[in-house]
Amino acid sequence: MTQDISSLLHKARQSLTAAKLLADEGLFEFSVSRAYYTMFYIAQALLLSRELSFSTHAGVINAFGLQFAKSGEIAPEYHQALIKAERLRLQGDYDVEPEISAESSEKQIDWATRFIQLAEARLEGLET
């Protein structure tokens, strides 16, 4: 595993921890944002394992779908979860009064946890 991939995994784990802490404090709009970034960092790491890198969120999300979901390597639900998470992040970050529930936050944290598990299963064995 390269240093960049390892760093992205570390950052994803920290982001998941932050998402949980924010949810515990009732800060759901911020929690979904951190959960999204957990998934985003994992998507970046998986793409980087194929020597693919993108400079925009849309580029990462689209490439993740093409490289992994469309090919059948990863269940398409992961790609759909990433798309939904980005929409919630935008809502939480930019809407003046976002209506993000505890349930939405919990679902996003669950998906973020699944992304971490996916990365651990696919990337931990890669050589540096």
Side-chain angles (χ1 to χ4, degrees), residues 3 15 20 25 35 51 67 71 73 79 99 103 116 118:
Q3 182 60 44
S15 193
K20 291 175 181 178
E25 293 298 319
E51 299 181 3
Q67 290 290 316
S71 71
E73 285 184 60
H79 184 230
E99 296 181 16
E103 182 181 354
I116 295 276
L118 176 72

Side-chain angles (χ1 to χ4, degrees), residues 96-107:
V96 176
E97 293 185 35
E99 296 181 16
I100 297 175
S101 67
E103 182 181 354
S104 289
S105 174
E106 185 178 316
K107 285 180 183 177

Side-chain angles (χ1 to χ4, degrees), residues 83-104:
I83 292 168
K84 182 176 182 173
E86 185 193 29
R87 274 184 276 170
L88 283 172
R89 177 193 70 92
L90 292 171
Q91 182 183 348
D93 285 352
Y94 297 108
D95 285 4
V96 176
E97 293 185 35
E99 296 181 16
I100 297 175
S101 67
E103 182 181 354
S104 289

